[in-house]
Amino acid sequence: MTASRTGLWKPWLKRRLSRRTTQQTPVRIEVPDAAGTVSAQLDGDRALSLHERALKPRDLGPLASSIRRSAEESSRADRSLLLLLGNGSFHTADDSVAGKVADIPPLAVARATATTHRSDPVTATETRLFGPRAEVAWYFPIVYGGTVVGVIAVAWNDRRRARRADPRPLHQLAHTSALPLLTSLLFTQARDAEHDALRLVDAVSALSATHTSEEVANVACLHARKLARARMVRLIERDPSGNHAVLSSNPGSNHPSNRSLRLSSALLQAIEEGDVCLDESPHRRSLFVPVRADGEVVAVLQFDFPATSTGPSERMLRLCGAVATQTGVALERARRTDELQRLAITDSLTGLANRRQVLRDLQRETSRGIRTGEAVSIAMIDLDHFKAFNDHHGHVEGDRELRAFGHFLDASVRAMDSVGRYGGEEFLLVLPRAPLADAFSAVDRLRREWLDESNVSFSAGVAALREGETFTDLVIRADTALYRAKRAGRNRVETDDGKIVSLSTLEPSSTTPKIPS
């Protein structure tokens, strides 16, 4: 009888023991926590093992994947997601969902984050996040110390399977994985902050090595794009008229720089008010960060993000602001450098090239003329009786006369010509590709036209480059011709050989400088 009873119960005992053994098989989620190995009992039968040696806290992606797999195994769900809370919105920690998690039902997420002490799952009938086949979804909040870390979400394609599922293992999984997730999140944030700090240091170093405004614009856009992980970064400046913006730098784009842009409301607010503005469109998200120099908004950095991305975090806003600040400092330094360089080669009274610059231009043209065999002529010009004019009318009127004569010369010569103030009331005119006769004709025409505008005449000496001589020799011969013109009565043009070329004997030349009539 006993044997027969034992024989009758043996199949039932085998099934019971087999089921119990299966239920007690640990679901290994290979993640650590801050204290080391943690083992928790799930539903009295399943164990969740966290192994410190298996995975380091910094590996957030594999940690999230392991939690997802454990959620699917413990609930026998068709799909699972681990949603982490960051910057006020949820996002996936791995590549289980591409792009922004915008389809999470807001009501279900709000209930999930608020249901921290309930044992019932949060059920949602809207399951677009899991695909069209999902019918039921459960959301389990991951909370540690009152802080919502994220949400474990599982979904089934069949409602009947969802009814048979037990929520307790998932609640235990959410409770046990809270600390490892929080540790990994904090570690990831610290690592990202360190990388961002290094990128910011690189950006500051690169901006410090720039010299021109164009270099500043290109370097700022390239480093800002890496720092903000943006799709594109552009530097936009407002034109002096204030009616439109000018694109200064647009690296990595097929659109050219230095083109006019339409002033959108967000861009206009960033330029005029100096506010950080976010402009959202169906195709992209644009962040406009003002760039200041000496307290004034001189440009705007535009950060373009995909439309599916989440909004910029506070840290990202601070980083973008830091890049904008350093860009403003570099722009101001570059502009001051440009201004110093301009002042170093420009005569402050007339606006023409100063003596150093015009002699540099002459040296360049003479070297080119010697190399190519083309003609190069110069004219040394001096205003007649200018000391007497100053004594009679005063230095203020004298400065006005010099300024007017400088503007007259600058507006009358060709684009290839160079003109500069040599010293006092003397001016040097460099005429490349102009033979002696053509240069004489052009300068004498200038003399006659100047008399129509002023009572102060000028004398000039013209010389052409000869074979084997330097630019200094050329200047000496032109200066000698100038003094010959002054001794001959002033208000005239002389050549270095002492021969005054009759204008009627000159034939027109294509290289003759065109003087406006």
Side-chain angles (χ1 to χ4, degrees):
M1 189 69 177
T2 306
S4 113
R5 279 176 171 267
T6 306
L8 290 174
W9 282 100
K10 190 173 294 184
W12 180 85
L13 287 174
K14 286 184 178 180
R15 288 195 300 270
R16 179 69 178 270
L17 291 174
S18 175
R19 189 183 306 115
R20 184 180 182 88
T21 304
T22 304
Q23 290 177 347
Q24 289 182 348
T25 301
V27 180
R28 294 176 66 86
I29 168 173
E30 298 177 345
V31 298
D33 71 344
T37 301
V38 176
S39 180
Q41 200 73 13
L42 296 182
D43 197 21
D45 295 317
R46 293 175 179 257
L48 176 64
S49 301
L50 306 177
H51 298 277
E52 184 177 11
R53 294 186 302 272
L55 197 65
K56 295 182 179 179
R58 60 175 177 269
D59 299 323
L60 182 60
L63 169 59
S65 301
S66 182
I67 293 177
R68 287 179 50 241
R69 288 194 302 269
S70 180
E72 290 181 6
E73 292 176 4
S74 59
S75 62
R76 293 179 175 84
D78 297 308
R79 289 285 307 279
S80 66
L81 287 176
L82 177 63
L83 309 175
L84 303 177
L85 183 62
N87 194 27
S89 61
F90 288 96
H91 59 89
T92 56
D94 52 12
D95 57 355
S96 56
V97 175
K100 174 190 173 186
V101 186
D103 293 329
I104 302 175
L107 179 60
V109 172
R111 291 176 61 191
T113 56
T115 314
T116 57
H117 300 292
R118 294 176 55 182
S119 58
D120 300 332
V122 178
T123 306
T125 57
E126 186 178 356
T127 58
R128 289 178 297 167
L129 187 62
F130 295 95
R133 298 181 58 188
E135 294 184 359
V136 179
W138 284 359
Y139 295 88
F140 297 87
I142 304 174
V143 183
Y144 184 82
T147 301
V148 177
V149 180
V151 171
I152 296 177
V154 292
W156 292 266
N157 299 336
D158 188 353
R159 293 179 180 274
R160 292 173 297 179
R161 293 176 55 203
R163 293 192 192 102
R164 292 195 298 266
D166 189 354
R168 289 176 294 176
L170 293 174
H171 272 296
Q172 188 64 44
L173 175 64
H175 173 73
T176 312
S177 61
L179 181 58
L181 270 179
L182 183 60
T183 304
S184 296
L185 281 173
L186 294 177
F187 186 92
T188 302
Q189 292 173 2
R191 181 190 60 191
D192 293 343
E194 180 183 3
H195 291 172
D196 291 339
L198 293 176
R199 292 191 185 100
L200 183 59
V201 170
D202 293 340
V204 173
S205 301
L207 287 171
S208 301
T210 56
H211 301 286
T212 64
S213 300
E214 183 178 359
E215 290 180 357
V216 172
N218 292 330
V219 169
C221 290
L222 290 175
H223 284 271
R225 182 181 179 182
K226 295 179 183 178
L227 191 62
R229 301 171 184 86
R231 184 173 61 184
M232 183 182 298
V233 177
R234 306 190 294 179
L235 183 68
I236 303 172
E237 295 183 87
R238 193 171 185 176
D239 72 326
S241 65
N243 297 325
H244 59 276
V246 178
L247 181 61
S248 297
S249 182
N250 193 25
S253 173
N254 296 327
H255 299 290
S257 302
N258 300 323
R259 62 185 179 92
S260 299
L261 297 176
R262 181 181 60 86
L263 279 174
S264 63
S265 57
L267 177 58
L268 187 63
Q269 183 178 355
I271 292 178
E272 292 187 348
E273 305 296 333
D275 298 332
V276 178
C277 303
L278 183 64
D279 185 19
E280 295 183 315
S281 68
H283 306 289
R284 67 184 181 187
R285 286 188 172 193
S286 297
L287 178 67
F288 297 95
V289 182
V291 177
R292 290 181 173 85
D294 286 342
E296 296 182 358
V297 178
V298 296
V300 171
L301 276 174
Q302 177 182 345
F303 298 81
D304 287 345
F305 302 94
T308 57
S309 65
T310 58
S313 62
E314 285 188 20
R315 187 183 69 186
M316 188 58 62
L317 289 176
R318 289 196 297 268
L319 289 172
C320 294
V323 174
T325 300
Q326 296 301 322
T327 302
V329 173
L331 276 177
E332 183 63 21
R333 184 183 65 250
R335 287 172 180 172
R336 288 183 179 180
T337 302
D338 294 341
E339 181 66 15
L340 288 175
Q341 291 178 349
R342 188 189 66 81
L343 292 176
I345 63 174
T346 305
D347 178 63
S348 59
L349 179 61
T350 62
L352 301 176
N354 57 16
R355 177 169 179 164
R356 177 190 296 121
Q357 182 61 29
V358 73
L359 287 178
R360 188 180 300 167
D361 295 340
L362 174 59
Q363 184 178 13
R364 182 187 67 247
E365 292 300 332
T366 53
S367 299
R368 185 193 57 79
I370 293 172
R371 184 176 64 255
T372 62
E374 294 180 340
V376 178
S377 298
I378 67 170
M380 188 70 74
I381 302 173
D382 185 84
L383 295 177
D384 296 332
H385 303 293
F386 192 73
K387 184 178 183 304
F389 181 88
N390 268 337
D391 294 340
H392 185 268
H393 297 282
H395 290 291
V396 174
E397 288 296 325
D399 291 345
R400 186 178 291 114
E401 190 72 16
L402 288 173
R403 195 178 299 112
F405 186 61
H407 293 168
F408 168 77
L409 290 177
D410 188 49
S412 302
V413 299
R414 302 171 299 176
M416 69 174 68
D417 299 334
S418 299
V419 59
R421 187 181 179 190
Y422 195 72
E425 64 272 17
E426 282 189 293
F427 296 82
L428 179 60
L429 177 60
V430 182
L431 302 167
R433 303 178 186 175
L436 181 61
D438 293 343
F440 178 87
S441 174
V443 175
D444 195 61
R445 191 180 299 119
L446 284 174
R447 180 187 62 81
R448 295 194 307 269
E449 292 179 354
W450 173 244
L451 287 177
D452 296 335
E453 300 185 14
S454 175
N455 295 325
V456 180
S457 62
F458 72 78
S459 302
V462 181
L465 182 65
R466 295 174 180 173
E467 185 178 356
E469 71 175 354
T470 64
F471 75 96
T472 306
D473 301 330
L474 183 59
V475 170
I476 292 174
R477 289 195 294 109
D479 198 50
T480 302
L482 169 63
Y483 282 100
R484 184 181 296 114
K486 284 187 171 293
R487 288 194 298 268
R490 292 183 172 85
N491 189 22
R492 59 193 293 126
V493 180
E494 287 271 0
T495 58
D496 63 314
D497 56 4
K499 297 178 181 179
I500 299 177
V501 182
S502 175
L503 296 180
S504 60
T505 63
L506 285 176
E507 295 182 359
S509 173
S510 60
T511 58
T512 302
K514 297 180 181 179
I515 308 300
S517 58

